[in-house]
Amino acid sequence: MDDTYYEFGTPADRWDRAQLFFESKEYATAARILGGLVQEAPDLVAPRLLLARAYYHSARLVKAEAELRRVLERDPVEEYARLMLGRTLERQGRDADAATHLRMSHAMTGALGPESAEQRHGE
């Protein structure tokens, strides 16, 4: 696809397009669109979280980890980012590192537990 296709439209248009690609399991394409949105608005959490999820689902775990850590730098109590970081570290075989983040996620959600956080975000 042509680069201009990804740059076409307003940020809202591109956000919608990225979500459609993500929902269609076209994670690499979604990540490409989201990367531009994140560069334009680096403080917004939603595009960065969806970018991390796209990286996670396309097995680009180092990139997913980096995005999740950026979210947590800005918002240390973002419980879904905490959960995703734990899951990402688990997939990398870093169970000890993962356990810390998973425990924190569980503590943040209280009685709901990490599974409920996954359900809220469509995992």
Side-chain angles (χ1 to χ4, degrees):
M1 278 189 209
D2 189 332
D3 284 344
T4 57
Y5 173 75
Y6 297 104
E7 298 169 2
F8 178 76
T10 66
D13 293 335
R14 288 178 284 141
W15 170 249
D16 290 342
R17 190 175 307 125
Q19 288 180 307
L20 288 172
F21 278 108
F22 185 88
E23 291 167 7
S24 299
K25 298 183 183 197
E26 295 288 336
Y27 302 119
T29 304
R32 188 169 174 184
I33 297 166
L34 291 162
L37 289 171
V38 165
Q39 285 180 345
E40 289 175 32
D43 293 330
L44 292 180
V45 171
R48 198 173 287 277
L49 273 177
L50 191 58
L51 177 58
R53 289 177 64 199
Y55 285 149
Y56 178 86
H57 287 297
S58 60
R60 294 188 281 176
L61 302 177
V62 172
K63 288 186 174 203
E65 178 184 352
E67 290 303 325
L68 292 164
R69 290 190 186 279
R70 286 183 188 110
V71 168
L72 291 170
E73 284 173 8
R74 290 174 172 82
D75 186 0
V77 295
E78 170 50 60
E79 56 92 11
Y80 186 66
R82 197 65 69 185
L83 173 67
M84 280 292 304
L85 181 55
R87 297 286 184 241
T88 301
L89 294 169
E90 277 182 333
R91 276 186 77 185
Q92 294 179 58
R94 295 165 55 193
D95 293 340
D97 293 335
T100 300
H101 294 285
L102 294 173
R103 277 193 306 273
M104 289 174 72
S105 171
H106 183 68
M108 289 177 192
T109 58
L112 297 175
E115 293 78 20
S116 295
E118 289 173 336
Q119 291 169 353
R120 284 194 303 274
H121 291 280
E123 289 299 302

